[in-house]
Amino acid sequence: MTRFVQTGPSLRDPYTADPQLRGWLDRLLGEDGHAAAKHRLSDLSAEVIGPLRAAHHDAETHPPALTRFDAWGERIERVDTSAGWQAQRAAAARHGVVALPYLPEARDTWGPGARVVQQALLHLWGPESATFSCPVAMADGAAALLTQTGAQPGWLARLIATDPAVAITSGQWMTESQGGSDIGRSTTAAHPDGAGGWALTGDKWFCSAIDSAMAVALARPEGAGAGSRHLVPFLVPRYGADGRSPAPGLQVLRLKDKLGTRAVPTGEVRLDGVPAFPLTDPAQPGLAAMMTLVVVTRLHNAAAAAGGMRRGLEYALAYAAERTVAGGLLADNPLHRATLGALAVDAAGAFALAAHSFALLGRAEHGDAAAAAELRLAAPLAKLTTGRLAVASASEYLECFGGAGYVEDTGIPRLLRDAQVLPIWEGTTNVLSVDVLRALGSGDGARPLLLRLTAAADAATHRLPGVAEALAAATARLAADIATAAADPRDPRVAAGARELALRLGHALTAALLLEHAAWAAERGDERPALLASLWILRRLGHADISADLHAGFDQLINAA
């Protein structure tokens, strides 16, 4: 008897096989700017489909382990990680995934667009990084915070180093068991150490990348007021002077056994007089400065969502081209084509949000006040919208593989396990929705979004009349709901509807961004992005059944997304 063996999905070069990524780079950077980035993107892409895939697999199959004591009873708090994890660490430094926006040569070449190139690097590498993208996000956030405050330049230099022997990553120690996202209940205390420095005492409950050389921790300085705004960010060295033993007073109580992101060593930490360096004036409220870090990590979260969705789509497309059902290829089945087409539209929407947010971040860091104002709303919208899309898409990707999608050694279940962290880390959907209400209540927080939507609706009237009505109706309703929310964000009815409003805002912003890109592409004779934009609007804003359109336009969709 001959045993049937199904051919598994193969991965194409993620850079050359992604027309949306390349089109957005042309638009946001200009053709010359994109050309200047091609060697970076091509080099990383080649590693992603080669040695980094092997490193990814090794890190996933050899999770971290904690050794608290050596054979003679000395506390060592050693976290052992795999060779694959170390290979990802080296690749992140070598390709400048953290460093790029801070390098003078990159800023000279792309200016604010250095953040756009960074997002492209993350898009290519993140899905095959064994979620080393998590410590990368926190290292970038820490670098942004140190850059803004001017504190600890020696540590900053190591965070943005491109030499793997020098480069470090950072943890982010905010969460405590009694408070969770309610950081105002933090009990970690900062007190003078008697020698001109500071020391921290308290427990931190969820400390990702616990093997990092440093962490940024929130603590309440001695004598500071209650509530979250009086917390201050401190830099905590993870290791002692020898670079190997734990910092004095630091204990790793345990490693977390998590649903996903299993390669990332995440621990609970006890601080008992651990030396630390304040990153802002301990006599002044410091939470506002900490938000610099949080905004950056939220955008990395959006980039991880978009990258994971794109990679899942690649796997599902490749499998459909190999798998035979009912006498034909799965890729030719009308129902499956419509399913894959819908996933392609969602992946395109998530990418648009992530790319736009990184572009805003770059402009804000270069002094663009309008971009900074827009980012206050765009950042939580991008994070919450892409997080929800990523989980829903990952579940669909597993279904695309049938039973094989439920078997661990195919690697497919990891897509869902790892996606589930995205709506949780850096604020759940509800927490982010409250942040959206705050942004709406702060003066003209929604003005840039409404201007984009109005312009998009006007353009659609002339170019895409079939979707203009849905977009105009959604814009009018949103304008009214935004006005109600901004008038009294604390109204119980407004608070109860915050999630639904935030998701509608995220979907509407995505529609505007896709239409802006479609207009740019149409001027160059490419109408494929217009199909993506139209189907997103009809489905997400008009709530229409677009199955027949997804099937009929499948080839055009896949070649655009």
Side-chain angles (χ1 to χ4, degrees):
M1 175 179 177
T2 301
R3 186 169 184 270
F4 172 76
V5 177
Q6 173 64 50
T7 302
S10 57
L11 181 63
R12 299 182 295 173
D13 181 286
Y15 173 51
T16 59
D18 192 333
Q20 186 186 27
L21 170 64
R22 290 182 282 107
W24 276 67
L25 288 171
D26 278 342
R27 182 166 71 89
L28 296 179
L29 299 176
E31 291 186 6
D32 289 343
H34 184 184
K38 278 185 178 178
H39 70 285
R40 283 184 174 273
L41 300 170
S42 297
D43 289 350
L44 178 56
S45 191
E47 285 199 42
V48 163
I49 58 178
L52 289 181
R53 290 199 81 193
H56 168 84
H57 178 75
D58 179 71
E60 289 287 342
T61 52
H62 298 89
L66 170 64
T67 302
R68 293 192 183 87
F69 301 94
D70 69 9
W72 304 102
E74 181 178 0
R75 182 178 288 276
I76 56 175
E77 306 289 353
R78 188 182 72 234
V79 176
D80 293 311
T81 54
S82 69
W85 184 254
Q86 296 305 320
Q88 296 288 355
R89 181 190 301 278
R94 195 170 58 250
H95 289 281
V97 181
V98 173
L100 189 74
Y102 305 92
L103 298 178
E105 58 270 28
R107 294 168 76 90
D108 288 344
T109 302
W110 297 292
R115 283 289 186 185
V116 173
V117 180
Q118 181 192 37
Q119 187 262 334
L121 292 171
L122 291 166
H123 191 71
L124 299 173
W125 169 73
E128 241 71 38
S129 70
T131 51
F132 197 86
S133 51
C134 172
V136 157
M138 294 185 293
D140 190 5
L145 176 59
L146 295 184
T147 298
Q148 182 194 65
T149 63
Q152 300 298 320
W155 285 97
L156 173 61
R158 297 182 67 192
L159 286 167
I160 62 174
T162 56
D163 179 354
V166 177
I168 61 170
T169 56
S170 176
Q172 182 178 329
W173 300 352
M174 296 174 64
T175 308
E176 298 183 11
S177 58
Q178 75 281 0
S181 61
D182 184 6
I183 58 174
R185 298 175 64 191
S186 174
T187 59
T188 300
H191 49 86
D193 64 3
W198 288 80
L200 305 189
T201 298
D203 286 357
K204 294 296 185 181
W205 187 80
F206 205 92
C207 304
S208 285
I210 195 62
D211 59 331
S212 293
M214 58 164 280
V216 176
L218 280 178
R220 195 179 309 282
E222 192 174 88
S228 61
R229 66 184 296 267
H230 292 283
L231 296 172
V232 168
F234 285 80
L235 189 155
V236 183
R238 167 71 172 83
Y239 301 102
D242 62 4
R244 298 186 303 276
S245 59
L250 190 151
Q251 297 180 39
V252 181
L253 301 179
R254 63 170 174 164
L255 295 185
K256 300 290 193 182
D257 185 8
K258 297 168 294 180
L259 170 67
T261 64
R262 293 176 177 176
V264 182
T266 302
E268 288 183 38
V269 173
R270 174 158 295 165
L271 308 169
D272 187 7
V274 176
F277 305 100
L279 298 178
T280 61
D281 182 353
Q284 300 296 324
L287 186 64
M290 186 66 172
M291 290 308 296
T292 297
L293 183 154
V294 172
V295 167
V296 170
T297 51
R298 284 178 173 176
L299 297 194
H300 275 261
N301 198 93
M309 291 170 69
R310 174 68 201 188
R311 195 61 46 85
L313 179 64
E314 277 290 305
Y315 287 137
L317 289 170
Y319 187 70
E322 298 285 349
R323 180 69 172 170
T324 301
V325 294
L329 283 177
L330 188 56
D332 295 330
N333 179 279
L335 178 56
H336 198 66
R337 285 163 65 91
T339 301
L340 291 175
L343 289 167
V345 172
D346 283 350
F351 177 86
L353 279 172
H356 175 64
S357 298
F358 270 80
L360 285 177
L361 176 63
R363 288 165 49 200
E365 290 176 332
H366 281 70
D368 186 330
E374 186 174 354
L375 187 61
R376 281 193 285 275
L377 180 59
L381 286 181
K383 194 276 184 188
L384 73 87
T385 306
T386 58
R388 302 296 297 180
L389 287 171
V391 175
S393 293
S395 181
E396 290 282 5
Y397 291 137
L398 265 65
E399 284 196 53
C400 288
F401 287 85
Y406 202 66
V407 177
E408 283 287 354
D409 58 6
T410 65
I412 306 302
R414 182 190 60 78
L415 296 175
L416 182 57
R417 287 192 284 103
D418 287 353
Q420 188 59 65
V421 77
L422 297 168
I424 296 174
W425 185 59
E426 290 297 27
T428 63
T429 305
N430 283 359
V431 169
L432 271 291
S433 298
V434 173
D435 283 355
V436 167
L437 288 185
R438 290 195 189 101
L440 294 178
S442 60
D444 290 332
R447 181 174 173 78
L449 171 59
L450 290 174
L451 289 174
R452 283 185 183 278
L453 286 172
T454 302
D458 289 344
T461 301
H462 302 292
R463 297 192 60 256
L464 300 168
V467 304
E469 183 177 347
L471 183 57
T475 301
R477 182 185 171 197
L478 277 173
D481 291 344
I482 287 170
T484 300
D488 187 3
R490 296 179 181 272
D491 185 299
R493 292 171 298 178
V494 171
R499 173 194 283 245
E500 196 267 347
L501 175 60
L503 287 170
R504 286 194 291 120
L505 286 168
H507 293 161
L509 174 58
T510 304
L513 297 173
L514 290 172
L515 281 172
E516 288 171 9
H517 184 69
W520 174 88
E523 291 176 356
R524 288 149 183 81
D526 185 1
E527 293 294 338
R528 295 173 301 178
L531 178 61
L532 277 172
S534 298
L535 293 178
W536 173 275
I537 292 166
L538 291 172
R539 183 186 185 199
R540 294 290 177 183
L541 302 185
H543 309 290
D545 180 1
I546 59 170
S547 303
D549 300 299
L550 291 168
H551 163 58
F554 177 76
D555 293 331
Q556 189 176 356
L557 277 175
I558 298 307
N559 289 325

